[in-house]
Amino acid sequence: MYPIKSYAEAKTIKEAIDILASNDNAMLIAGGTDVLIKARELKSGYVDRDLIGVTRIDEIKGVSLDKDGNILIGAATVFYDIETSPIIKEHFDIVAQGVGLVGGPQIRNAGTIGGNVCNGAVSADSMPSLVAANAIMMIEGKNGKRELPISEFYIKPGVVALEKDEMLTHVKITKENYEGYKGSYLKFAQRKAMDIATIGCAVLLKQNDGKVEDIRIAFGVAGPKPIRAKQAEEFAIGKELTIENIEAICALCTKDTMARDSWRASKLFRENLITELPIKAIRRILGEKDA
Amino acid sequence: MLKKITLEVNGQKRTVEIDDRESLLEVLRYRLELTGAKEGCSVGECGGCTVIVDGANVDSCIYLGVWADGKKVTTIEGIEKNSKTLSPLQNNFIKMGAVQCGFCTPGLIMSSTVLLQRHKFLTREQIRRGISGNLCRCTGYQKVIGAIEETAKES
């Protein structure tokens, strides 16, 4: 038995928000692959909570295109459904690559993208791709709906910009942030499955006439929050992607990152990955077979 | 709090009263006396507790029992064809020597059953990925992969 106080299931967004607003001890639970484990290991903040299940709220499940061609990913969509979504495969494959590397098959059948980003872990495999695509977090609370760029969503490790009575309902990728871009997500971990990223790196690239029109390089686990390598991105604009230029661009990535030593990896090793992974990602986007 | 849930387990409709703090694994093992699914790590790492819920393999140790309300659950007890003979996959596990101590076997069968349902053709690499959430400390996986590969070829 889990050391939780109670469990209630919300059928609508409004129901979930009403409980959140009226009960200080309430906490949302989606796939449970994070919350239940933390409760079981008696982690502070996860014991004796009143859990509110959200996986039967149909409005926040599934992937769709809105009338403007923006991609909407429901917060309670499980990783497997994102990975196999025809819309994602066609327009935003990079996030499929990311969620396809989460845990193992059982975790991907239960875990959700909303849980992945709302727990504020910098190692979330869905996050770097969303950061690269300037994702918009669609939030609903007692005071109505609001939209927040993902760059303002992460506050510090484990903390995101959600008020007590608010929940993430969808992640939006606007058309101008996916159309014409090709992407690659690379995860470095000790094992190929069931592991947490040492560094995660997402690159989105738009080329024009053989030159870089726009590039986004985003990292997970390279600092206390998701990080974009802005200086490398700016330097890359207008450049041809020769191997010399790719290496010069990626050498600038550590200028924006804040990697640190942890038991998982040293700062030095992480910075090496921060330089090498985007090189590999760009070469993969360019279709180089050995990358 | 006690809650009444109704689920279809291995093709049979069952209504049980459960504590809403119980995992699906606890519901299966202690309320329904289906002890095929095993508790290994209890944190979703080992896959010993894997069952199929509405066509997807999940770790029943990190799945609330109340979530199974209204759903179809299949455990290793329900895999046998017509409840009489072993499934082709189970037969291949035996034939290829993919079972040693047997603790991981129910979970591996559940994960690979879903894998075979989702894919018509499977490479060894895809099989490795498909069973990456199931740990086996005896076999070294080669024979398990061989048994799944053989079943995919036969079907």
Side-chain angles (χ1 to χ4, degrees):
Chain A
M1 218 139 41
Y2 297 101
I4 58 176
K5 194 172 162 204
S6 76
Y7 176 80
E9 207 153 70
K11 296 280 189 315
T12 62
I13 297 171
K14 194 184 170 299
E15 238 178 82
I17 291 167
D18 285 345
I19 307 175
L20 280 176
S22 63
N23 179 354
D24 278 345
N25 192 43
M27 180 189 233
L28 295 186
I29 179 168
T33 58
D34 185 55
V35 169
L36 290 179
I37 291 167
K38 284 174 176 160
R40 184 160 271 160
E41 65 191 23
L42 304 180
K43 197 176 161 139
S44 146
Y46 289 84
V47 180
D48 281 336
R49 299 296 293 260
D50 294 303
L51 298 183
I52 312 163
V54 295
T55 50
R56 290 191 212 241
I57 304 178
D58 286 336
E59 318 158 67
I60 60 168
K61 288 203 300 199
V63 179
S64 58
L65 287 173
D66 72 9
K67 61 177 188 346
D68 300 317
N70 305 318
I71 301 169
L72 295 181
I73 309 173
T77 314
V78 300
F79 297 122
Y80 177 78
D81 289 345
I82 294 171
E83 199 190 342
T84 54
S85 152
I87 292 172
I88 294 294
K89 273 189 183 162
E90 188 183 341
H91 301 295
F92 197 52
D93 176 62
I94 189 171
V95 83
Q97 297 172 36
V99 299
L101 289 165
V102 175
Q106 293 95 318
I107 303 296
R108 292 194 291 271
N109 283 334
T112 67
I113 193 164
N116 205 223
V117 292
C118 289
N119 74 10
V122 290
S123 54
D125 283 311
S126 66
M127 173 269 277
S129 309
L130 300 179
V131 171
N134 293 332
I136 305 289
M137 313 309 262
M138 299 171 73
I139 297 165
E140 210 166 319
K142 265 279 175 221
N143 296 323
K145 297 180 186 183
R146 66 182 177 114
E147 297 191 347
L148 193 68
I150 194 166
S151 57
E152 293 168 35
F153 187 68
Y154 282 82
I155 309 281
K156 60 178 184 181
V159 181
V160 295
L162 286 175
E163 297 299 328
K164 222 205 84 46
D165 61 319
E166 285 184 326
M167 68 183 283
L168 178 75
T169 61
H170 296 85
V171 177
K172 179 160 78 182
I173 312 293
T174 58
K175 197 172 182 181
E176 69 263 24
N177 280 296
Y178 71 78
E179 202 174 43
Y181 287 89
K182 283 187 179 169
S184 179
Y185 174 75
L186 292 172
K187 170 185 187 172
F188 185 93
Q190 304 301 322
R191 293 179 291 173
K192 284 186 183 169
M194 303 305 289
D195 207 349
I196 288 167
T198 308
I199 290 287
C201 170
V203 176
L204 278 179
L205 174 68
K206 193 185 211 172
Q207 281 181 292
N208 188 2
D209 210 13
K211 297 194 172 86
V212 176
E213 188 183 320
D214 189 22
I215 191 167
R216 320 273 182 75
I217 308 173
F219 292 99
V221 213
K225 291 199 278 185
I227 285 174
R228 279 276 290 275
K230 292 273 186 189
Q231 295 179 60
E233 291 177 4
E234 278 162 30
F235 175 78
I237 304 293
K239 297 226 163 26
E240 254 180 79
L241 290 173
T242 59
I243 188 66
E244 293 77 19
N245 278 343
I246 296 172
E247 284 175 357
I249 294 162
C250 299
L252 294 174
C253 288
T254 50
K255 286 199 175 294
D256 281 296
T257 56
M258 290 176 274
R260 65 180 181 97
D261 289 309
S262 80
W263 65 268
R264 230 180 268 284
S266 65
K267 176 175 191 245
L268 198 65
F269 181 45
R270 281 208 166 92
E271 293 201 326
N272 183 258
L273 290 171
I274 287 165
T275 314
E276 293 298 329
L277 289 180
I279 295 177
K280 203 170 160 143
I282 294 171
R283 293 181 60 214
R284 279 198 182 177
I285 296 170
L286 297 177
E288 292 181 29
K289 294 226 159 45
D290 59 338
Chain B
M1 194 166 75
L2 286 177
K3 279 184 187 151
K4 202 179 262 185
I5 63 166
T6 301
L7 62 166
E8 195 182 309
V9 186
N10 301 331
Q12 266 189 311
K13 213 168 213 177
R14 303 285 295 264
T15 300
V16 267
E17 201 169 54
I18 66 166
D19 189 303
D20 57 9
R21 298 169 297 175
E22 281 172 1
S23 67
L24 176 59
L25 180 65
E26 288 165 323
V27 173
L28 292 170
R29 290 183 64 89
Y30 306 131
R31 306 258 178 206
L32 298 167
E33 297 184 342
L34 293 166
T35 54
K38 307 290 182 234
E39 178 159 30
C41 68
S42 60
V43 288
E45 292 272 353
C46 77
C49 64
T50 306
V51 299
I52 304 174
V53 180
D54 282 354
N57 48 324
V58 297
D59 293 317
S60 63
C61 75
I62 49 168
Y63 194 98
L64 285 176
V66 287
W67 288 344
D69 190 18
K71 294 183 183 168
K72 281 184 183 159
V73 178
T74 308
T75 69
I76 187 69
E77 288 89 344
I79 285 292
E80 286 161 33
K81 232 180 168 176
N82 313 323
S83 302
K84 279 186 189 123
T85 54
L86 297 178
S87 74
L89 178 66
Q90 286 175 309
N91 274 319
N92 281 324
F93 261 63
I94 295 168
K95 202 170 89 190
M96 318 264 310
V99 181
Q100 283 190 32
C101 89
F103 192 84
C104 72
T105 311
L108 270 169
I109 295 280
M110 303 319 284
S111 285
S112 31
T113 297
V114 171
L115 190 64
L116 289 162
Q117 281 165 358
R118 284 179 175 177
H119 302 272
K120 215 167 174 188
F121 304 101
L122 282 167
T123 63
R124 284 180 79 86
E125 196 48 43
Q126 282 175 306
I127 296 171
R128 282 197 179 88
R129 183 168 183 258
I131 58 167
S132 61
N134 292 80
L135 298 183
C136 169
R137 302 293 77 174
C138 306
T139 64
Y141 302 104
Q142 296 307 319
K143 292 173 179 187
V144 174
I145 296 164
I148 301 166
E149 196 179 27
E150 189 63 24
T151 315
K153 273 185 203 154
E154 288 167 3
S155 59

